[in-house]
Amino acid sequence: MVVLSAALLLLVLPMVLGRDAGWPTWTWLCFAASLPTFAWFVGVERRVGRRGGQPLITLSLLTRKPVVYALISQAATRATYFALLFVLAQYLQAGLHKSATYSGLVLVSWVAAFGVSGPLLGRMPAAVKHWVAPLGTALLALAFAGIGVGTWAGTTSGVLLTPLLGLGGLGYGAAFSGTLAHLTCAVEDQYAPDMSGLFNTTLQVGGVLGVALFGTVYLDLAPSGGRTAAVHGFMVITLVLSAVGFAAAVLSQLAALSKPTAPSAASSAPDRTKTAA
């Protein structure tokens, strides 16, 4: 946990503080140091597994294509969602001079639609559930594309923005629920704690990186907070988020099509009784 936290800190901290600090030398040193620290973490986990202990992450799970594709897809999807939360608030308040109340309420449609996806997934037949995550991710990407095109055309007002955000929330909810269901079926019962931890850690890391990366790009595109720059920056970011969403949909589709594979006995821990953190 200490090594993994150090690696993530070295990666995320310069992304969050680097722009305001003018990208000094220490930010690039942190980026460079994060790579060997992640490699160190992998080495620690392998040593614990070879000694018959219980590693924080069973690395053999990351050799399974259904798991890897699904986790990367969900990390990318989560990154787009957290990026939207940050960029949308900046765009509406600093760019269009809307109130903080307006900025918060416009997301109600997203949250409501997200909450609908879980119960709907539970009522779908098994054959349909297999495709929920890819279709949901594609729907999310289409919503981002609609917001970006609407911003470019000058028609993304509250009337149009609200239903598009609702469409995005529905897509993200389907992607979230569908990916979780897929990962649950992609591993044996004894690896459920590992899968739970991997899934939740992936969500948190993806969200942090999404805000740090896309938030930095948006602030560079609209540094003064003026309306013209804000509109341009928001359009660019949402279209890029759409592209990321479509890429995530492809990965989700590959995860759905990949055949489950069991890890080798040599790389599996003998006792999987720990609970997920």
Side-chain angles (χ1 to χ4, degrees), residues 225-267:
R227 181 183 180 90
T228 302
V231 170
H232 173 72
F234 187 65
M235 177 195 69
V236 171
I237 291 297
T238 50
L239 291 178
V240 172
L241 293 181
S242 176
V244 173
F246 281 119
V250 172
L251 289 172
S252 183
Q253 178 71 14
L254 291 174
L257 294 175
S258 299
K259 295 181 180 180
T261 56
S264 62
S267 59

Side-chain angles (χ1 to χ4, degrees), residues 22-143:
W23 300 107
T25 303
W26 69 264
T27 59
W28 303 106
L29 292 176
C30 286
F31 282 134
S34 67
L35 296 177
T37 309
F38 277 115
W40 182 21
F41 171 73
V42 172
V44 169
E45 296 301 274
R46 286 177 174 172
R47 285 195 297 273
V48 172
R50 285 196 299 266
R51 295 170 182 170
Q54 296 181 356
L56 186 66
I57 296 176
T58 301
L59 297 176
S60 59
L61 292 177
L62 298 180
T63 64
R64 302 187 184 193
K65 290 183 179 180
V67 172
V68 174
Y69 290 150
L71 287 177
I72 296 176
S73 174
Q74 190 59 213
T77 306
R78 184 76 159 195
T80 63
Y81 170 52
F82 271 57
L84 176 72
L85 293 179
F86 178 82
V87 173
L88 182 63
Q90 294 289 328
Y91 167 67
L92 291 176
Q93 296 179 57
L96 303 187
H97 305 293
K98 301 288 187 179
S99 67
T101 301
Y102 179 91
S103 177
L105 290 178
V106 77
L107 283 167
V108 169
S109 61
W110 179 293
V111 177
F114 177 90
V116 170
S117 301
L120 287 179
L121 178 64
R123 298 180 182 181
M124 292 180 180
V128 177
K129 290 181 181 179
H130 196 60
W131 307 105
V132 166
L135 292 176
T137 309
L139 185 63
L140 173 66
L142 286 173

